[in-house]
Amino acid sequence: MFFVDTIEVSGLGNRSYLAGGEETAVAVDPPRDIDRVIAAAARRGVRISHVVETHVHNDYVTGGLELARVTGADYLVPADARVSFERVPVHDGDRAGIDGDAGLTLRALATPGHTPHHTSYVLEENGTAVVVFTGGSLLIGTVGRPDLVEPRLTEHLARAQHASANRLAAELPEEATVFPTHGFGSFCSSSQAEGSATTIGKEKVSNEALTRDVDTFVADLLAGLDDIPAYYTHMGPANAAGPAPVDLTPPAVADVDEIAARLAAGEWVVDLRNRVAFAAGHVSGSFNFEAEGQLATYLAWLIPWGRPVTLLAESAEQLAVAQRELVRVGIDRLAAAAMGEPSAWVRQGEAPVSFPRATFVDLASRHPAEGVVVLDVRRATERADAHIEGSVHIPVHTLHRRLREVPEGEVWVHCAGGMRAAIAASLLDAVGRDVVAVDDSFDEAEKAGLTVRNS
């Protein structure tokens, strides 16, 4: 018998896995905070004998090297991946014994496309393929994007992605379970699909790479590629160099004077509270990235890389969770932190500031009108489907560099659901703009009476 435990990295839209028998196991694409993987192994009572990477990751810092060091496991990395550390180079067809008593073997299957060196791993039980860990190759209903390595390679990798998906479908039994690393909200996925579990057989009838000819597949894939988070630029080099161990000790506590000084110095002071609480009262100049949202993705995407970060949290628990999420994307040490509520974060004689929240019904009662600016901060692919007539478009991940492009007036900022609008509203509020955060689903815009057009 074998097991597969899933280790969710939901903030980044990824999954890692621990698989094995009664004695030993393999860890697949582990996150930077390896204690979660070690705890999963402890619960199973197994020793981690192997750690494998499907590819050099572009969207998070791996914990693979450190996990292998701590556990004494063999560290398997695709042979063609250019890395600066010792590892076991993996070639197509290589096998590794995982648990002899359980008859478990791991077989490498070259599946280039997401990266040139991408490798999937087939878990075989007594010679029968039962599970395949597909990393960024075959995902649920889609595939990993091919444009994260080098623009000139994108079409070539897209064609390789089609071939790799079809190789998996041709060589593996239909009942084999597919466990991808990406595709649960990750920007490494070429599109977002529904579902949390799949098999080779299900993908044969539903996956775009397996139901379309290569030319149609490639054309549609390239046409639908979304923006690439800016921090991805730093992930590949960090993983190729060999990431340092994480340090999750709590940061130094900042008092009100230090918070004010860090703001005055142009550092980022980030309020982790939910957007409702932030709008109602916050430190002037601070930015709102909800701890409950995609904190790591959007903070790492927007912040100038290397800029010191101070976090303001409701509790020690909220702070610790945020710190853990941020180390996964290479924001390793916080400058400082404070806990509590806004009244404890401002100096004596000062008060928290606020801005209003609204719905699309509220916006419809004001727009169009002189002095009212509707700012759409969704991505271009979202706006291409539909947008409010007369709105200005600046994606949230570019707004901090383009604040001067926002027209004068009262800015009503919206996204698809409210989270990104809250980030954008905090950026505008921090520079003194008169802002209203639309905290509503974009599906309600047309129902509210606003004119919605296709781009």
Side-chain angles (χ1 to χ4, degrees):
M1 291 294 292
F2 68 93
F3 72 87
V4 178
D5 287 343
T6 300
I7 299 164
E8 295 277 359
V9 191
S10 55
L12 296 177
N14 289 330
R15 289 178 176 176
S16 175
Y17 303 97
L18 182 75
E22 292 185 0
E23 302 293 333
T24 51
V26 56
V28 182
D29 289 341
R32 185 91 179 276
D33 46 330
I34 62 173
D35 57 326
R36 300 180 66 208
V37 185
I38 293 171
R43 287 192 295 270
R44 286 283 183 179
V46 297
R47 176 177 63 87
I48 298 175
S49 61
H50 294 77
V51 177
V52 303
E53 303 282 7
T54 56
H55 58 295
V56 175
H57 303 284
N58 291 292
D59 63 327
Y60 68 93
V61 181
T62 181
L65 182 63
E66 178 65 3
L67 181 60
R69 186 190 68 80
V70 168
T71 61
D74 289 341
Y75 189 30
L76 279 57
V77 178
D80 291 338
R82 297 180 179 180
V83 296
S84 302
F85 48 82
E86 291 295 321
R87 89 287 195 200
V88 178
V90 177
H91 301 85
D92 185 40
D94 284 354
R95 280 180 161 83
I98 300 303
D99 191 308
D101 290 343
L104 298 178
T105 301
L106 201 67
R107 175 166 60 94
L109 204 64
T111 49
H114 185 50
T115 66
H117 59 267
H118 190 283
T119 300
S120 297
Y121 297 91
V122 181
L123 185 67
E124 297 176 340
E125 183 180 38
N126 298 319
T128 299
V130 290
V131 164
V132 57
F133 300 102
T134 55
S137 184
L138 186 68
L139 310 185
I140 299 177
T142 185
V143 296
R145 59 194 298 171
D147 61 329
L148 302 180
V149 178
E150 159 61 55
R152 291 172 295 182
L153 294 178
T154 297
E155 183 172 350
H156 167 75
L157 290 176
R159 292 181 177 277
Q161 193 70 299
H162 185 272
S164 292
N166 280 272
R167 181 188 184 189
L168 289 166
E171 296 188 16
L172 298 178
E174 292 195 352
E175 59 270 20
T177 306
V178 177
F179 287 104
T181 299
H182 304 313
F184 310 98
S186 168
F187 280 89
C188 274
S189 177
S190 62
S191 64
Q192 298 305 320
E194 297 295 326
S196 59
T198 192
T199 63
I200 291 292
K202 289 178 181 178
E203 292 308 302
K204 281 185 175 181
V205 298
S206 63
N207 195 293
E208 55 200 23
L210 303 177
T211 58
R212 301 178 184 178
D213 66 87
V214 62
D215 290 331
T216 302
F217 167 78
V218 169
D220 289 347
L221 176 63
L222 299 184
L225 291 174
D226 213 332
D227 297 330
I228 300 174
Y231 73 92
Y232 278 24
T233 301
H234 307 281
M235 300 296 98
N239 287 323
V246 298
D247 179 2
L248 292 174
T249 56
V253 176
D255 61 19
V256 293
D257 290 328
E258 183 177 355
I259 292 171
R262 290 190 178 280
L263 283 168
E267 297 182 11
W268 278 39
V269 174
V270 173
D271 191 325
L272 300 172
R273 295 174 303 139
N274 68 64
R275 56 185 180 264
V276 177
F278 182 88
H282 56 271
V283 178
S284 179
S286 63
F287 303 138
N288 183 213
F289 290 80
E290 291 181 307
E292 295 83 3
Q294 292 178 282
L295 169 67
T297 294
Y298 281 99
L299 180 55
W301 196 340
L302 270 68
I303 192 170
W305 199 251
R307 185 74 58 87
V309 181
T310 294
L311 296 184
L312 306 179
E314 287 180 323
S315 64
E317 180 182 13
Q318 186 181 65
L319 176 62
V321 170
Q323 186 177 2
R324 180 178 289 268
E325 287 197 28
L326 294 179
V327 299
R328 294 172 184 158
V329 292
I331 300 177
D332 284 3
R333 286 305 298 165
L334 300 172
M339 292 169 286
E341 56 185 27
S343 61
W345 301 332
V346 295
R347 291 179 292 194
Q348 189 171 4
E350 298 178 351
V353 297
S354 63
F355 55 76
R357 295 166 49 252
T359 65
F360 282 111
V361 170
D362 299 321
L363 176 57
S365 71
R366 296 290 310 279
H367 174 74
E370 185 74 23
V372 173
V373 177
V374 179
L375 177 62
D376 180 350
V377 296
R378 298 172 301 156
R379 297 185 300 278
T381 51
E382 296 172 280
R383 186 173 172 86
D385 290 335
H387 67 275
I388 296 172
E389 186 175 60
S391 60
V392 176
H393 181 229
I394 303 178
V396 68
H397 58 273
T398 68
L399 181 60
H400 60 296
R401 302 190 303 269
R402 301 173 59 186
L403 289 168
R404 293 182 180 180
E405 297 178 31
V406 181
E408 292 299 318
E410 183 182 66
V411 184
W412 290 63
V413 58
H414 82 84
C415 60
M419 181 194 74
R420 287 172 293 171
I423 296 172
S426 72
L427 296 175
L428 290 161
D429 176 73
V431 294
R433 294 299 303 267
D434 187 7
V435 64
V436 179
V438 178
D439 193 358
D440 202 358
S441 169
F442 186 72
D443 293 340
E444 301 299 317
E446 191 167 20
K447 299 175 187 176
L450 292 160
T451 302
V452 175
R453 305 238 181 244
N454 294 327
S455 297

